[in-house]
Amino acid sequence: MPTRHVSDVPDAVIVGAGVVGAACAYYASRAGLTVTVVDRGSVAAGTTGAGEGNLLVSDKEAGPELDLALLSTRLWRELAETLPPEIEYERKGGLVVAPDGAALTALRDFARGQAAAGVETHEIPADRLGDLEPHLAPGLAGGFLYPQDAQVQPAMAAAQLLRAARADVRLGQEVTGVLTDRRGAVRGVRTPRGDLHAPAVVNATGTWGAALAELAGVKLPVRPRRGFVLVTEPLPPGLVRHKVYAADYIADVASGSADLQSSAVVEGTPAGTVLIGATRERVGFDRTLSTEALRRLAAQATALFPVLSGVRAIRAYHGFRPYLPDHLPAIGADPRVPGLYHACGHEGAGIGLAPATGLLVAAALRGERPPLDTGPLRPDRFDDTEGDAW
């Protein structure tokens, strides 16, 4: 993406050119602020480029993260009308299925709480599942349909948000320091190509959020959680119509276990390929290919859709989700360092939550009242020992 010099001293430097950083740039620009976005790699080269593009409300219980997701759901719909079609926004809906009566009862209770918070849910009896997904395995107890679940192509979404923001984008420049004045307030960042001055710095570095926070002299216990995705050969349109996953995926999302966890989420793409995710495990930044993780995904996907048993997987990819101990992102001003803001720690939900995060960060940069309560998302909510044992 070409560099565009908007101002010698922008209102903020955003560190990170993934979808969250891009959304922060977009909404800050819409709020009348000038921003410079800097990244040590290319656009969406980190977690964003390894994501499936899920925009989910179905996997979130009532609370702060669901509030973020519902706000983002509305904002993604608005963005889909504004940004080019290359972002591949699809409001395909999610279908969560239960293998037995106990799982269905648990799903029903979960959905009841979501509905009270504003989520649209529809219980689907076992004999109607085939109407929604003709190739779904028989014998399931039922499920719930979530029409608000959607999909984007994450790398293209990040690129188009940055383009629409008309930000000054500096790629291939690693931030090696956070500049502060005598009072300790932020005054920009240092890179090997020179200092970038600004009265505010936004930490949108995803999995590397702890490292950027440390450069500013504070602790934020973001850690990586590795996940794999399988991609099939192109298949006939409509083979998988929704985002489909089993109820145990919700428990995996909420778990803090370091062990390998897998629960297949199966969905088609406009290109005809089927994406099969996702696994979770805390192994640091180990990029080793895990055949066990891929084996589990394949087995779980074919259990949901037996038709996939004869389909070839043409590739697999993986990335690192930015995990915080309480499963909530850190969003907003850091009271420990004036001028430092955070927008990271979204784990596997960063693509879905990016617009709401950008809107909240823009409000914080302008000193305005946020559109929802950001208290549970405070960057300084952790004590200094959290995350040390990871």
Side-chain angles (χ1 to χ4, degrees), residues 242-266:
H242 304 79
K243 291 178 180 291
V244 183
Y245 60 87
D248 57 357
Y249 173 81
I250 296 172
D252 283 356
V253 168
S255 169
S257 173
D259 297 333
L260 174 63
Q261 297 173 302
S262 64
S263 181
V265 179
V266 184

Side-chain angles (χ1 to χ4, degrees), residues 30-371:
R30 287 191 61 185
L33 303 175
T34 57
V35 297
T36 293
V37 178
V38 60
D39 196 294
R40 66 184 178 184
S42 56
V43 174
T47 299
T48 295
E52 297 170 82
N54 289 332
L55 315 179
L56 302 183
V57 297
S58 57
D59 63 341
K60 297 170 180 63
E61 65 179 338
E65 190 180 30
L66 182 57
D67 293 341
L68 276 173
L70 287 168
L71 175 57
S72 271
T73 294
R74 175 175 62 81
L75 295 174
W76 272 120
R77 287 201 298 267
E78 294 174 0
L79 289 169
E81 297 176 356
T82 302
L83 299 178
E86 284 80 6
I87 70 168
E88 296 182 7
Y89 175 83
E90 292 183 273
R91 193 176 175 183
K92 61 175 63 174
L95 181 62
V96 187
V97 297
D100 53 43
L104 183 61
T105 298
L107 269 184
R108 192 176 289 129
D109 293 340
F110 189 77
R112 188 177 297 114
Q114 292 175 308
V119 176
E120 184 181 352
T121 70
H122 303 282
E123 183 168 355
I124 309 299
D127 60 359
R128 294 289 310 279
L129 289 174
D131 297 341
L132 298 177
E133 291 289 347
H135 298 285
L136 198 59
L140 295 166
F144 275 80
L145 177 67
Y146 289 84
Q148 291 160 299
D149 280 359
Q151 172 85 14
V152 292
Q153 208 294 333
M156 286 303 299
Q160 295 298 337
L161 282 167
L162 282 175
R163 181 169 287 113
R166 300 181 64 81
D168 176 5
V169 181
R170 313 286 185 97
L171 302 178
Q173 299 188 39
E174 182 173 5
V175 171
T176 58
V178 174
L179 308 176
T180 57
D181 62 18
R182 293 179 180 179
R183 299 180 297 107
V186 163
R187 287 296 176 261
V189 298
R190 175 154 292 157
T191 79
R193 298 189 191 178
D195 295 347
L196 301 175
H197 297 282
V201 169
V202 179
N203 176 11
T205 57
T207 310
W208 297 272
L212 194 284
E214 187 175 355
L215 290 178
V218 295
K219 188 168 184 177
L220 189 67
V222 181
R223 296 293 186 271
R225 207 175 184 195
R226 187 175 70 181
F228 285 89
V229 177
L230 275 173
V231 185
T232 74
E233 62 187 311
L235 300 172
L239 188 75
V240 181
R241 300 176 179 179
H242 304 79
K243 291 178 180 291
V244 183
Y245 60 87
D248 57 357
Y249 173 81
I250 296 172
D252 283 356
V253 168
S255 169
S257 173
D259 297 333
L260 174 63
Q261 297 173 302
S262 64
S263 181
V265 179
V266 184
E267 60 188 302
T269 69
T273 56
V274 171
L275 301 182
I276 302 168
T279 63
R280 285 172 162 77
E281 57 185 328
R282 295 211 311 266
V283 292
F285 285 102
D286 183 357
R287 294 186 175 275
T288 305
L289 181 70
S290 171
T291 55
E292 174 60 18
L294 300 181
R295 185 195 67 77
R296 289 193 193 183
L297 284 178
Q300 291 168 340
T302 55
L304 279 176
F305 288 91
V307 68
L308 295 177
S309 61
V311 170
R312 292 181 301 167
I314 58 173
R315 68 185 181 97
Y317 62 92
H318 65 279
F320 299 98
R321 302 178 181 91
Y323 174 97
L324 280 167
D326 61 1
H327 299 280
L328 292 175
I331 302 175
D334 192 322
R336 299 167 293 184
V337 180
L340 178 65
Y341 299 78
H342 297 284
C344 59
H346 299 77
E347 200 171 341
I351 296 163
L353 301 181
T357 301
L359 195 66
L360 292 177
V361 167
L365 288 169
R366 288 180 56 87
E368 297 175 346
R369 184 181 180 88

